[in-house]
Amino acid sequence: ELGSFDKDINKIMPEYVKSFQFENSLLPSTWIVVRIDGCHFHRFSDVHEFEKPNDELALNLMNSAAVAVVEEFNDIIFSYGVSDEYSFVLKKDSWLYERHASQLVSAIVSLFTSMYVLKWKDYFPHKELKYQPYFDARAVCYPSSDILQDYLAWRQVDCHINNQYNTSFWMLVKSGKSKSEAQKCLKGTFAKEKNELLASQFSIDYNTMPVMFRLGSSVFWDKEEKMVDEAEVAGKFRKKIVVEHCNIIEKSFWKEHYHILE
Amino acid sequence: ELGSFDKDINKIMPEYVKSFQFENSLLPSTWIVVRIDGCHFHRFSDVHEFEKPNDELALNLMNSAAVAVVEEFNDIIFSYGVSDEYSFVLKKDSWLYERHASQLVSAIVSLFTSMYVLKWKDYFPHKELKYQPYFDARAVCYPSSDILQDYLAWRQVDCHINNQYNTSFWMLVKSGKSKSEAQKCLKGTFAKEKNELLASQFSIDYNTMPVMFRLGSSVFWDKEEKMVDEAEVAGKFRKKIVVEHCNIIEKSFWKEHYHILE
Amino acid sequence: ELGSFDKDINKIMPEYVKSFQFENSLLPSTWIVVRIDGCHFHRFSDVHEFEKPNDELALNLMNSAAVAVVEEFNDIIFSYGVSDEYSFVLKKDSWLYERHASQLVSAIVSLFTSMYVLKWKDYFPHKELKYQPYFDARAVCYPSSDILQDYLAWRQVDCHINNQYNTSFWMLVKSGKSKSEAQKCLKGTFAKEKNELLASQFSIDYNTMPVMFRLGSSVFWDKEEKMVDEAEVAGKFRKKIVVEHCNIIEKSFWKEHYHILE
Amino acid sequence: ELGSFDKDINKIMPEYVKSFQFENSLLPSTWIVVRIDGCHFHRFSDVHEFEKPNDELALNLMNSAAVAVVEEFNDIIFSYGVSDEYSFVLKKDSWLYERHASQLVSAIVSLFTSMYVLKWKDYFPHKELKYQPYFDARAVCYPSSDILQDYLAWRQVDCHINNQYNTSFWMLVKSGKSKSEAQKCLKGTFAKEKNELLASQFSIDYNTMPVMFRLGSSVFWDKEEKMVDEAEVAGKFRKKIVVEHCNIIEKSFWKEHYHILE
């Protein structure tokens, strides 16, 4: 019933229609960061009654989705997540999807989302997933490993600042203050003051709170212990994906894990 | 434990780190098409034993994910799907995500994926989702409704050509031919010859096969019948999302549904 | 003396080095406008003692450079200039330089500059060109002829507003006011008030001032009178480039010259 | 006579018209190379009877235009020219024109062209400039100084290969061969064979030919001798622009002139 039309269109049109396609190719030899962010996750976490200010299970679910992404795309050499965001770092010389921004961004965000929904029941066996969560994403290039490390440090500092604020905020709310009263209390306070407030009013030592809340999560391929009894050649290591909550602002982390940015 | 570092970085670094971000803004006043495609869906459909050449349930699942996308983003005025791909058309004057390509592409593909996984059990209650499916996506702009219609016609012609080929191919395989024999049989044949092969060897009238397989699926907001008894003002209609399998190559479709591209 | 190096580099490096090149291709089937602007022309016009607020010879030189650009690039169907800026419109379906932004922009601005310097002595036979003038340029796409006309109208409205202001400003300065006094005088005044000021204080009827100053210059291919005695077929016209100072805000111009945007 | 129209358009339209503008911003912290190329210079050099294969005066004119560009834009730290092309390197952290590709490319090519035309009579006092030359240009980013050096080495290798070919070609032509015979002679020959041909048939030692022809021209800010009698502080140098014909493939050049890429 498409009649002769398909022959005609097949001969001439596709080239013209395709000429409108364009590729935004990311500069070669630069570190690509794809950062995904939850869309409307404020509402999503309310509806699904996530614990405030941090829901450990929800964070573990994010981490597990990130592990799946790191497993699937070999060119991802590091990833860092906090709250409802995750940054994936592709190695400098990756040619994944020919470095086309749209495809990199879409494939990574889609796989992450897929895993998030698929694994939901593992982390929340007694909580129904009431509607579909989704994320948006963007790509950024960093031309040197120094600036890349600055980028990651920036995300971890953000994690720290937000967590300190949110912890103080929710403690005040749970102690009976209204949300706007709690906001007023914290307005303009410095890190030190928030720590003192937590200590004096709530007997909380901020530095003893769970490290995942304070430092976020890093997912990367690490070197496993050398297994001598499996007759491995000395100096050879097996690699496995690890989820750690370490200080990535300090240069010592990058020195110790020098293989990541090599 | 982040010490004085966070204050320092907070004062100077973020602006520098952020200066590397860029936005690929799509030209205003053009129709944006976001097309998603299944990644490695050949394997995915094998592992999940989809029927060949068309699995009705799998297509319905795609359509249901598309409906969720059309529902969420009001600026999507039409979408068309076939096999493991779906094209979403945003209205010409949309400012969704400020027309930033990465965000449009990622949000749409993420929501689609989320819904696909979430609804899996509704369409395949007896089939476990064995691993996470994912899609990639890209955006294209079309500066006029004529070229937009050409684009959609191109996708439908592709649907037709592929379906005719696949139907013939799988009938040959099911009748005992090897895959490479079937390929050889069909090499260089025209539409008419494939139809004749289906008719003579397998007593199949191609034109009576399910219309979803031959024409793909269109998802859009249609005007509902006027409901007089609800005392609506004459000329007013309620709109609802429909899934139809219609010929969108013919201009008559667009005339009849003139409100879509208005 | 380049030794064996050249063989090596020739074998491997160029592809890698070239992989960093990128093209910013402009969306097909849209009107491309390349607008050039004088760099530091305030100083340039001071040093070369251009008449204020408008130097007829300098404007004629700009127009003559524009004519050369229109002559060289057949795909330019219209251009509009005012002061030290000029906009060149390429036809919608142009594939000049494969629609690569950098090349379009650079070739046009370079040819314009070349002509400006080359023709200087024709317009200023007694004035030495004391140093090299230069221009920058950018490309913009417009997806419909309506928006293209809006763009051109915008430039002509700008011309009008600036000319009215500059005419008033320089009359005040020539009458003895300091530049800052003149500025103060005009601050916040409307078109009508400026016209009244010119009329009452300086006996100038703004609307009788040279039309090139008030409306800018349009350069385009026009249809010449049919030349019957050259035995041309009826209905055929020769085309020639014209420089006109017409109202391009009014739609009547575009109706009369319908062939320009065809 | 623009009536009330200008008020209306001024209130609403410019923002809309301007929304179509876009900027292609080049990645920060990368070396920007703007390379200009003569358009139709084959014809231009024929019409102006440039000497083959190298016209010393024409090359000097190119160099003098390049010096003007390097003088005007402080962020250009090196430039390299050969034949009718010139590459300008901006320092890594330049924010010239906010790193907008179109503006960088257009301003540099325009200034270069302007100077080329303006200085013509200084280099060719007895040769009229018969028509306007022009150049196109493009920008490329290099994320490290190593790749930048590879880029420049690539251009110099190209200079070498082309010069060796052209020298041999024109010697054959001048000796009586037709152009196509000369081409055939040289097809598939290696560097060494061309040198032997030049030596045996024309008694030319390639390596004693003018260094500008063999190595192209580098224009950059060099450190001047310390002037003790002007009472300068020890260790301070004045900088001046130099035009040199040096081997920039060798790393030794970059070590000696370490300040260029600092």
Side-chain angles (χ1 to χ4, degrees), chain C residues 1-15:
Chain C
E1 73 202 58
L2 297 169
S4 62
F5 188 85
D6 63 326
K7 278 187 211 107
D8 296 343
I9 208 181
N10 210 31
K11 270 184 220 137
I12 358 166
M13 304 303 298
E15 289 320 304

Side-chain angles (χ1 to χ4, degrees), chain A residues 190-256:
Chain A
F190 291 110
K192 212 182 149 191
E193 299 167 276
K194 290 196 197 77
N195 279 0
E196 283 166 6
L197 179 145
L198 287 171
S200 61
Q201 292 197 27
F202 307 107
S203 304
I204 290 175
D205 178 357
Y206 180 76
N207 291 323
T208 63
M209 299 191 72
V211 68
M212 177 163 69
F213 301 169
R214 287 182 291 119
L215 295 182
S217 302
S218 297
V219 176
F220 57 98
W221 289 97
D222 204 2
K223 293 186 173 159
E224 234 180 20
E225 289 304 306
K226 187 170 60 179
M227 289 155 302
V228 180
D229 43 328
E230 285 189 23
E232 290 227 2
V233 179
K236 278 255 176 173
F237 296 87
R238 275 203 327 193
K239 283 170 82 188
K240 61 165 183 177
I241 296 177
V242 296
V243 181
E244 295 194 359
H245 316 290
C246 39
N247 184 328
I248 57 173
I249 298 173
E250 298 286 343
K251 293 293 176 197
S252 57
F253 172 84
W254 299 103
K255 271 179 202 145
E256 205 179 313

Side-chain angles (χ1 to χ4, degrees), chain A residues 45-58:
Chain A
S45 61
D46 279 351
V47 168
H48 293 90
E49 297 172 332
F50 283 179
E51 269 197 38
K52 306 289 183 183
N54 297 288
D55 187 298
E56 197 179 340
L57 295 172

Side-chain angles (χ1 to χ4, degrees), chain C residues 52-252:
Chain C
K52 304 289 182 184
N54 297 288
D55 186 300
E56 197 179 340
L57 294 173
L59 292 174
N60 285 339
L61 175 55
M62 289 287 289
N63 292 343
S64 128
V67 166
V69 170
V70 173
E71 250 170 2
E72 176 78 11
F73 300 111
N74 293 320
D75 285 1
I76 297 178
I77 44 102
F78 190 78
S79 76
Y80 175 74
V82 44
S83 181
D84 61 345
E85 82 167 47
Y86 237 101
S87 296
F88 297 93
V89 182
L90 281 89
K91 66 177 185 187
K92 220 167 83 168
D93 292 317
S94 173
W95 279 99
L96 186 61
Y97 287 109
E98 298 175 77
R99 303 180 78 86
H100 294 161
S102 283
Q103 284 174 288
L104 282 172
V105 148
S106 57
I108 287 174
V109 80
S110 177
L111 180 55
F112 187 93
T113 309
S114 197
M115 205 61 183
Y116 190 95
V117 177
L118 190 60
K119 292 276 182 187
W120 174 272
K121 62 182 181 309
D122 295 355
Y123 290 86
F124 297 107
H126 305 303
K127 229 181 232 182
E128 192 202 357
L129 180 53
K130 289 183 183 156
Y131 67 89
Q132 67 283 11
Y134 68 102
F135 301 83
D136 64 20
R138 62 188 308 162
V140 192
C141 293
Y142 289 105
S144 77
S145 56
D146 280 346
I147 312 179
L148 172 65
Q149 287 171 38
D150 285 350
Y151 168 80
L152 292 166
W154 171 50
R155 299 322 304 141
Q156 190 165 51
V157 167
D158 234 43
C159 165
H160 172 65
I161 290 169
N162 290 332
N163 186 52
Q164 214 174 31
Y165 182 91
N166 292 335
T167 305
S168 307
F169 177 83
W170 285 102
M171 285 311 299
L172 289 166
V173 168
K174 285 173 187 172
S175 76
K177 284 204 159 40
S178 74
K179 285 185 181 180
S180 63
E181 283 169 345
Q183 264 177 340
K184 232 176 274 175
C185 259
L186 295 171
K187 205 175 165 183
T189 56
F190 289 111
K192 212 184 149 190
E193 298 167 276
K194 290 195 198 78
N195 279 2
E196 282 165 7
L197 179 144
L198 288 171
S200 61
Q201 292 197 26
F202 306 107
S203 305
I204 290 175
D205 178 357
Y206 180 76
N207 291 322
T208 62
M209 299 193 72
V211 68
M212 178 164 70
F213 301 170
R214 288 180 292 121
L215 295 182
S217 302
S218 298
V219 176
F220 56 97
W221 289 97
D222 204 0
K223 293 187 173 161
E224 234 181 20
E225 290 303 307
K226 187 169 60 182
M227 291 157 302
V228 181
D229 43 327
E230 286 189 24
E232 289 226 3
V233 178
K236 278 256 176 170
F237 295 86
R238 276 204 326 194
K239 283 171 83 188
K240 60 164 184 179
I241 297 177
V242 295
V243 181
E244 294 194 0
H245 316 290
C246 39
N247 184 328
I248 58 174
I249 298 172
E250 299 285 342
K251 293 292 176 196
S252 58

Side-chain angles (χ1 to χ4, degrees), chain B residues 225-237:
Chain B
E225 290 302 306
K226 185 170 61 181
M227 291 156 303
V228 179
D229 43 327
E230 286 190 22
E232 290 228 359
V233 179
K236 280 255 176 170
F237 295 85

Side-chain angles (χ1 to χ4, degrees), chain C residues 1-2 23 114 133 138 214, chain D residues 1 23 114 133 138 160 214:
Chain C
E1 73 202 58
L2 297 169
E23 292 305 344
S114 197
R138 62 188 308 162
R214 288 180 292 121
Chain D
E1 73 202 61
E23 291 306 343
S114 196
R138 61 188 310 160
H160 173 66
R214 288 180 292 118

Side-chain angles (χ1 to χ4, degrees), chain A residues 1-2 5-7 9-10 13-14 16-18 20-24 26 35 39-40 68 72-73 97 101-103 105-115 117-118 129-143 147 150-151 153-154 156-158 160-161 164 190-191 207 211 214-215 247 249-250, chain B residues 1-2 5-7 9-10 13-14 16-18 20-24 26 35 39-40 68 72-73 97 101-103 105-115 117-118 129-143 147 150-151 153-154 156-158 160-161 164 190-191 207 211 214-215 247 249-250:
Chain A
E1 74 204 59
L2 297 169
F5 187 84
D6 63 328
K7 280 190 210 104
I9 208 180
N10 210 31
M13 303 304 297
Y16 179 62
V17 168
K18 277 193 237 171
F20 292 80
Q21 294 185 183
F22 63 93
E23 292 305 343
N24 187 7
L26 300 173
R35 184 174 72 238
C39 292
H40 314 301
E72 176 80 10
F73 300 110
Y97 288 108
S102 282
Q103 284 174 288
V105 149
S106 57
I108 288 174
V109 80
S110 176
L111 179 55
F112 186 94
T113 308
S114 196
M115 206 60 183
V117 176
L118 190 59
L129 181 52
K130 290 184 182 154
Y131 66 89
Q132 68 282 9
Y134 67 102
F135 300 82
D136 63 21
R138 61 188 309 161
V140 191
C141 293
Y142 289 106
I147 312 178
D150 285 349
Y151 167 80
W154 171 48
Q156 190 165 52
V157 168
D158 233 44
H160 172 65
I161 291 169
Q164 216 174 30
F190 291 110
N207 291 323
V211 68
R214 287 182 291 119
L215 295 182
N247 184 328
I249 298 173
E250 298 286 343
Chain B
E1 73 203 62
L2 297 168
F5 188 85
D6 62 330
K7 277 188 213 107
I9 208 179
N10 210 32
M13 304 302 296
Y16 180 61
V17 169
K18 277 194 238 170
F20 291 80
Q21 295 186 181
F22 63 92
E23 292 305 342
N24 187 5
L26 302 173
R35 182 173 74 238
C39 292
H40 315 301
E72 176 80 10
F73 300 110
Y97 288 109
S102 283
Q103 284 174 288
V105 148
S106 57
I108 287 174
V109 80
S110 176
L111 179 55
F112 187 93
T113 309
S114 196
M115 204 61 184
V117 177
L118 190 59
L129 180 52
K130 288 183 184 155
Y131 66 89
Q132 67 283 12
Y134 67 102
F135 301 82
D136 64 20
R138 61 188 308 164
V140 192
C141 292
Y142 289 106
I147 312 179
D150 285 350
Y151 167 80
W154 171 50
Q156 190 165 52
V157 167
D158 234 45
H160 172 66
I161 291 169
Q164 216 174 30
F190 290 111
N207 291 322
V211 68
R214 289 180 290 120
L215 295 182
N247 184 328
I249 298 173
E250 299 285 344

Side-chain angles (χ1 to χ4, degrees), chain A residues 151-192:
Chain A
Y151 167 80
L152 292 166
W154 171 48
R155 299 321 304 140
Q156 190 165 52
V157 168
D158 233 44
C159 165
H160 172 65
I161 291 169
N162 290 332
N163 185 53
Q164 216 174 30
Y165 182 91
N166 291 335
T167 305
S168 309
F169 176 83
W170 285 101
M171 285 311 298
L172 289 166
V173 168
K174 285 171 186 172
S175 76
K177 284 205 160 37
S178 75
K179 287 187 180 179
S180 62
E181 283 168 346
Q183 265 177 340
K184 235 176 270 176
C185 260
L186 296 171
K187 205 176 168 184
T189 57
F190 291 110
K192 212 182 149 191

